[in-house]
Amino acid sequence: MFMRPPPAPARRGLSLSRLNSTRRPQLFARNPPLHSFHTSNHRLLTARVEPPLRKRKFSHSQDIHSSNFRRSLATAINDPLQQDGVEMPYKHMQSHVPNNFLQSIPPRLYDIRPFDPTSPLLVRTNDDILPRSRTNLSGIPGGTDEMVSLFDACLQVGKLDRAALVLTRFTDIRALQGHELIELHNQYLRAAIARAFDKPDSKWAQSLHKWYETQIRAQELPQTPETIACMLKVSLLSARGLRLRRLVTRYMDMMPGDALYQVLSMVDILTQQDFGTITSIYQPASDIADEWGLTPDGKEPQSLNAEDETTELSDAKTASDETPEVTPMPQKGGGLKSLRAVLSFFDTIKGRDISQLPLAERREIQAQLEKDCVDAAISRWREEREALNKMGLNTSISKTALNTQLYEWQCALESKLENDFALFDQSEEREKKKQADFDRCLYAPFMSQSNPSRLAAVTIISVLNALSSVIDKGIQLSTLIGIIAKAVEDDIKFLKRQELAALRRPQYKKGVHKSQNGPINPAEAQPAEAQSAEAQPEDQLAADANTESNVIDAATYDIRSWPVLIKTKVGVALLSGLMECAKINVVQEHPESKTLVRQTQPALAHTMVHRKGKRVGLIMPNKFLVDIMKQEPPADFLARHLPMLVEPEPWTKFDQGGFLEYPAQLVRIKHGEKDQRIYTEAAMERGDMEQVCKGLDVLGRTGWRINKPVFDVMLEAWNSGEEIANIPPLNPQIPLPEEPEASDNPLLRRRWLKAVKAVENAKSGLHSERCFMNLQLEIARAFKDQTFYFPHNVDFRGRAYPIPTYLNHMGADHTRGLLRFAEGRELGESGLRWLKIHLANVFGYDKASLKERESFVMDHLDEIYDSATNPLTGKRWWLQAEDSWQCLATCFELKAALESPDPVKYVSHLPVHQDGTCNGLQHYAALGGDMWGAQQVNLEPGDRPADVYSAVAELVKEGIAEDLKEDNIIAKAVDGKITRKVVKQTVMTNVYGVTFSGAKAQVQKQIDALYPNITKETGIPVPVIAAYIATKIFKGLSTMFRGAHDIQYWFGECAGRVCRALTPEQIERIAAGEELSPPKPKKKTGPKPRSTSTNKKYKPAPPEQLLDQFRSTVVWTTPLRMPIVQPYRKSGTRVIPTSIQNLTLQMPERSDPVNRRKQLQAFPPNFIHSLDASHMLLSALECNEVGLSFAAVHDSFWTHASDVDVMNRVLRDCFVRIHSEDVIGRLAAEFEARYKGALYLAKLDRGHPAEEEIHALRKERKLTMKAELLEEYERMRLLNSEDPKEVEKGRSMATPTSIFQDWSTPQPLSSISDIAAVGLGEITNDETTEAAVEDDYESDDGGLSTTEDFDKADLDNEVTESGKIKKVEYNPERTLFESELSGEAKEAIQRSKAKSNLKAAGTKIWLPLTFPEVPKKGDYNVERLRESQYFFS
């Protein structure tokens, strides 16, 4: 037992002169991210009493007096998270697992985990609209999210005075709760202490003590152990003698009871030396030291510098070959040069295989490639400028020297930003601020986290990249500002990540982290929130695990991304600077004198246009800049989108995985969508995302190499400039139509202009496609000797995608043909057979039996050999294939195998595909148990592959035959013209929610291609014919998949009810009067508001105001336990004044009402997507477990030819495992639990039996909608009470709902018209569909409105309702003005209004949110597909 030494005199405080020489604690978190403190568990946010920490045990050999002894968390308690130094997850092992399950063998990674649908993950968010006040005189904004982001940015750049102003304003407006505000104060105190080491100030300690008294204690904020630890640190650094004793005693006395343990556990604030001083002064702390069994010492910390270890690239070379260069497109822009500069590294290692190097060297090379292209771009621009100067030239003599002009832009913008930086402090200190000063006060802390040089380069690169896609039309100002701000934000995050990595790197030496007080385990170097969690007693952790709830509180605010206001101000500041500085040197020939004229013109200009009745700002590039950029797309930032040279990092957090240096997100989320990230992070904390993350890791670990024979042929074809396979020609020969002679008919010239524009668009499209392929071939050429990998992430539905965008296996035919597996496998008999079948599949002969496909290949061996031997000079048989380049790759592989001494021993690297038969319909057939549908999509065993597209085509033909009996003119026009190709795309996309207008466009495209003269022959417009055929396709699908049709209706009804529901929490807030009255800003003196809200939802009539509270989105859990949150909401708008123009921007918030129609119509296809994504990831996990190489393109799965039989078994097993469970029943149970206690607004159809009684009751009582809601909520509470008297009282209450329930009729459908749009094979109404898919208010559509939309909608409706069509004169060239004169437009509008009024009719009542009975399943048994050889083939 260690004895505590006699009390020592109080340690002297550190004088100011010693501050700079004192070593700062290495684990001291100067400015940890604020979001790390917004945990769902508020255990650490109050100073309540905690159980005492367990006594630490030390071996007698440990010298606690030595300098190596350290009082760390790892030794303070027994860490339940670690076993033998390995971090062990624990949370997810406690939820939804039966007791007897833990005693059995652990589940395999590819097994479907137990999931209790009655206890789903629920994220409780604060739906209240955060208060937003005007900007005050100090330039502090009034929005809570903006203030928190500004506060964090001020801490990052050391502007503590500005951070203090933000905290003061938070105190004034009472926007945050006490436990949230104290966390911001703690951050402020940490930053102030950290600055004391760098910039000592004689008054710093006094000011902090004053701040604590006036801003924390006086405001009665709930202090935390962190607060007290910070104040103790201030005292220890500044005071001495009796004052130090008094301060330590005072602050320690503020902690109630055993909360002292938590204070002393703040090892990232208080060092071992501090601990010794405190225990020598404060007796209770000394008792704690006795209980822990340690005697602190006061030795100064020691540190060891890690040794730098460097290695050089191995000189081992593979057999190198001189590969011809890719002939570039005409070089007038900097894009291709940018790419080649990025890839120049590979030229230095030509012929060397990096995969043979040690892992550490490969990771260093990969990190170097990822490291930012910004500096590389600046260097490249500078080099070209210097090269011209050496030749005695300047950039004005040639318009082709874009890079040199970009360097001029860089220098000019950098200089301007340096001047702006110098004005930041002046604007903040100026008493009477102008608009420019207020703007600088907002964006200065954010831009100060970078430097003028990087900001200028990022701005230039972002603008050029954004303009490249819409270069002829210009780009919307709001869009361009968002792109610039996002690029700057990402770049600053990248710099922070690099800075943190640089700080950590010297602290590690051979896996051991040397801290200031001795060696600690690397696992201890964790963020503050992780350490806080580990600092809890073991008993407390166990108790928390046992009582873990499925309800998680979300943070009130989130600063991981900049608010819209901040992004707008930053983007405008940089864009306006670029527009001022960016000039382009133009050299033109004078039209008369023919001399060269040099002129400097602005590169960018701002203009206003009218679109949909709104003035929209556009940024237009100079026409000479357009000419340069048209030649090729820019290619900066490319290194962040290239394949990786090492295996991707495993996914461990939402933003940790994939690339080594550049941050990526696990789930692809659009700007402003927060729900999916909140749910995903909560699921990861519980361990629910393990299978999804591990599945993505499996996909990322698959190694790839370039197929050199295919690449050589492709390169030769490319350099020839000819149109070969899907390579566009270098100079496409598309003749222009002859210009018509002068005529009185203006339509003739209009048609000619339209045809000319179509030719120009076609040429431009081919050129753009060729430019993009140019980039892909350059990347392939650079990586041709390397093994590389594709990191993957998922979209919000769980579908996996490779993150590198330019070259990956999800690309077009030529990119797939270029890729092969890095690892090879011997073919074997089975592999040789599957290689032949694969060749038949990619050729297009995939509807025959497997034996017939083998025979097809053997019958064409001569053509196959010729294709492999003389691909461009022979018969070119491979060009007849549907997938020509993949066919050529297979020809090379098969020829090499057959020519080898033993074909079955040939080591093959070619991926062989197994594709599902319309995979969405396969899932629907399994869900609905449709025997007929299962047969059509190969779930049922058969001798030959079934073809659902041909089956639907036959049903369409049967429908046409019926119409022929009635002498239908359209049936006569299309008789004999229905083929599989006509219906294929519509059948394929119908399951994923294609609209009727979309289906009609698909059919029209096929009709135009197959029968270009059909209108001349029949006199019927193609759109009318397409609408007729699309109707027949939809009808055939609804007949074939009856069970799936019923399930889709059930999906739609459930989503409709959810989107019209109010949760119990919302109803309680409404009852308290909180929900319907958004807080109004207080009247304050100060400047005019910097931004104003124009969201009309804040001023609705009372009924509409209640309807705006519908915020419940559709959420469900996949079989792999990934939560899916549909993001569709009706975002409000906000006017933000800027120096360029006032911008009206959407402000997405979690408190926005849902977009009910989008939610309803998107749910069925999104649910099916989540199922096929689960099937793919589950298959990836099992294939990895059995040792297969695996890749996937959604429903196309790839592996080696020899492993196809094994993969086929895995695919069937995983599909059966998913559908052997009651998927729909589990979803229904999850919905019941997730939305328990909610009320939804239902609508009774006109003529319902209860309608009269409800109207009579309402006439008598005259209650508002809100009053009826609260009354019904109270009635439900009474009926669910355990008190019989309350139950009886509830039964006696008369409400519209009780009247409806007395009739004992089924609950009404939410909206028959909306639900009809989701049914399989149902025809949607064009008007509702267009409303459902309408995007932002600032649409890109423009030009003169025509009546084509009106006419086609009317024709569609008449065709779809009767299957016939009246003789209608159809003229798509007629303008809206002409149709108004004829009265047709007015008639169409009146019909539309009549339909809307009819749909709006009905009685609305509040009903308990329950869900309809799950549709009865059919007779098909999914186990039968195990015997189906064509399920995937």
Side-chain angles (χ1 to χ4, degrees), residues 413-414 416-418 420-421 424 435-436 438-444 446-447 455-456 459 463 477 480-482 484-485 488 562 565-581 1137-1141 1143:
L413 183 55
E414 182 179 342
K416 184 179 187 309
L417 290 177
E418 288 175 350
D420 288 345
F421 271 51
F424 286 168
Q435 179 64 53
F438 283 110
D439 289 346
R440 289 193 194 101
C441 288
L442 279 177
Y443 62 70
F446 296 89
M447 291 175 58
L455 289 173
T459 302
V463 170
L477 175 62
L480 184 56
I481 289 173
I484 296 173
V488 171
W562 295 350
L565 175 63
I566 302 299
K567 286 185 176 181
T568 303
K569 295 298 184 180
V570 171
V572 168
L574 295 172
L575 178 60
S576 60
L578 180 62
M579 293 175 64
E580 179 182 334
C581 300
T1138 71
S1139 59
I1140 300 179
Q1141 72 169 71
L1143 293 174

Side-chain angles (χ1 to χ4, degrees), residues 505-630:
R505 196 171 296 119
Q507 299 173 356
Y508 287 87
K509 180 183 179 181
K510 297 182 180 180
V512 178
H513 180 192
K514 299 289 184 181
S515 77
Q516 59 167 359
N517 288 308
I520 65 171
N521 190 286
E524 292 179 40
Q526 301 179 36
E529 63 271 26
Q531 296 186 15
S532 299
E534 293 184 3
Q536 303 164 38
E538 182 177 337
D539 297 338
Q540 181 66 36
L541 284 171
D544 292 340
N546 292 332
T547 60
E548 181 184 2
S549 172
N550 63 312
V551 181
I552 296 177
D553 290 327
T556 304
Y557 48 83
D558 183 4
I559 63 165
R560 286 170 295 199
S561 61
W562 295 350
V564 174
L565 175 63
I566 302 299
K567 286 185 176 181
T568 303
K569 295 298 184 180
V570 171
V572 168
L574 295 172
L575 178 60
S576 60
L578 180 62
M579 293 175 64
E580 179 182 334
C581 300
K583 309 295 181 182
I584 186 167
N585 299 316
V586 178
V587 180
Q588 299 183 83
E589 186 181 77
H590 194 280
E592 296 180 359
S593 63
K594 305 300 181 182
T595 59
L596 293 180
V597 179
R598 298 177 178 85
Q599 189 178 22
T600 300
Q601 299 179 0
L604 303 170
H606 172 250
T607 186
M608 301 291 291
V609 297
H610 284 85
R611 290 182 178 175
K612 290 191 174 183
K614 298 181 182 294
R615 283 171 57 83
V616 179
L618 292 182
I619 297 298
M620 300 295 299
N622 187 295
K623 64 178 181 179
F624 296 99
L625 179 62
V626 170
D627 292 339
I628 297 175
M629 294 184 63
K630 268 188 174 181

Side-chain angles (χ1 to χ4, degrees), residues 936-1057:
Q936 302 306 319
V937 292
N938 292 308
L939 295 188
E940 185 71 9
D943 296 332
R944 299 182 59 82
D947 183 13
V948 65
Y949 309 117
S950 298
V952 173
E954 291 300 320
L955 291 177
V956 172
K957 292 177 183 178
E958 292 176 7
I960 292 173
E962 293 294 326
D963 290 344
L964 284 174
K965 298 177 182 178
E966 301 180 8
D967 201 29
N968 187 300
I969 58 173
I970 304 181
K972 292 180 179 179
V974 300
D975 186 29
K977 294 182 171 62
I978 303 301
T979 64
R980 178 182 183 274
K981 192 171 185 179
V982 170
V983 306
K984 178 179 179 179
Q985 188 177 10
T986 303
V987 173
M988 185 187 306
T989 55
N990 186 271
V991 67
Y992 295 122
V994 67
T995 63
F996 182 74
S997 58
K1000 183 180 63 177
Q1002 293 169 348
V1003 175
Q1004 182 174 339
K1005 180 180 178 181
Q1006 299 299 330
I1007 293 294
D1008 286 336
L1010 295 173
Y1011 312 105
N1013 299 319
I1014 192 171
T1015 300
K1016 293 181 180 179
E1017 297 172 356
T1018 63
I1020 301 176
V1022 175
V1024 177
I1025 294 175
Y1028 173 82
I1029 296 174
T1031 305
K1032 298 297 183 185
I1033 295 173
F1034 278 40
K1035 183 178 179 181
L1037 278 172
S1038 62
T1039 302
M1040 184 179 296
F1041 295 90
R1042 186 71 251 173
H1045 185 271
D1046 295 341
I1047 289 175
Q1048 283 192 318
Y1049 265 89
W1050 185 85
F1051 283 155
E1053 173 61 17
C1054 291
R1057 294 185 184 185

Side-chain angles (χ1 to χ4, degrees), residues 648 651 657-658 665-666 668 695-702 704 789-794 800-804 808-810 1176 1191-1192:
W651 286 103
Q665 293 186 337
L666 174 65
R668 302 183 177 201
L696 294 176
D697 295 342
V698 169
L699 297 177
R701 287 198 300 267
T702 298
W704 300 87
Y789 306 85
F790 299 128
H792 284 66
N793 61 3
V794 296
Y801 296 87
I803 300 178
N808 60 62
H809 59 292
M810 284 193 183
M1176 188 276 288

Side-chain angles (χ1 to χ4, degrees), residues 898-915:
L898 295 178
E899 289 182 344
S900 64
D902 187 355
V904 298
K905 294 291 186 180
Y906 177 77
V907 178
S908 173
H909 294 258
L910 190 74
V912 173
H913 312 170
Q914 295 289 279
D915 298 345

Side-chain angles (χ1 to χ4, degrees), residues 9 113 160 262 333 346 366 389 668 685 687 850 854 863 1062 1153 1174 1253 1296 1355 1386:
R113 304 292 175 81
L160 298 189
Q262 299 181 56
F346 293 96
Q366 174 62 35
N389 290 339
R668 302 183 177 201
E685 289 181 6
L850 297 180
E854 283 188 80
E863 290 87 347
L1062 295 177
S1174 298
E1253 292 186 37
L1355 290 174
K1386 183 178 180 180

Side-chain angles (χ1 to χ4, degrees), residues 797-800 1120 1168-1178:
R797 301 162 302 184
R799 303 195 96 188
L1120 299 189
I1168 296 301
H1169 277 309
S1170 70
L1171 284 184
D1172 65 43
S1174 298
H1175 178 228
M1176 188 276 288
L1177 290 174
L1178 205 63

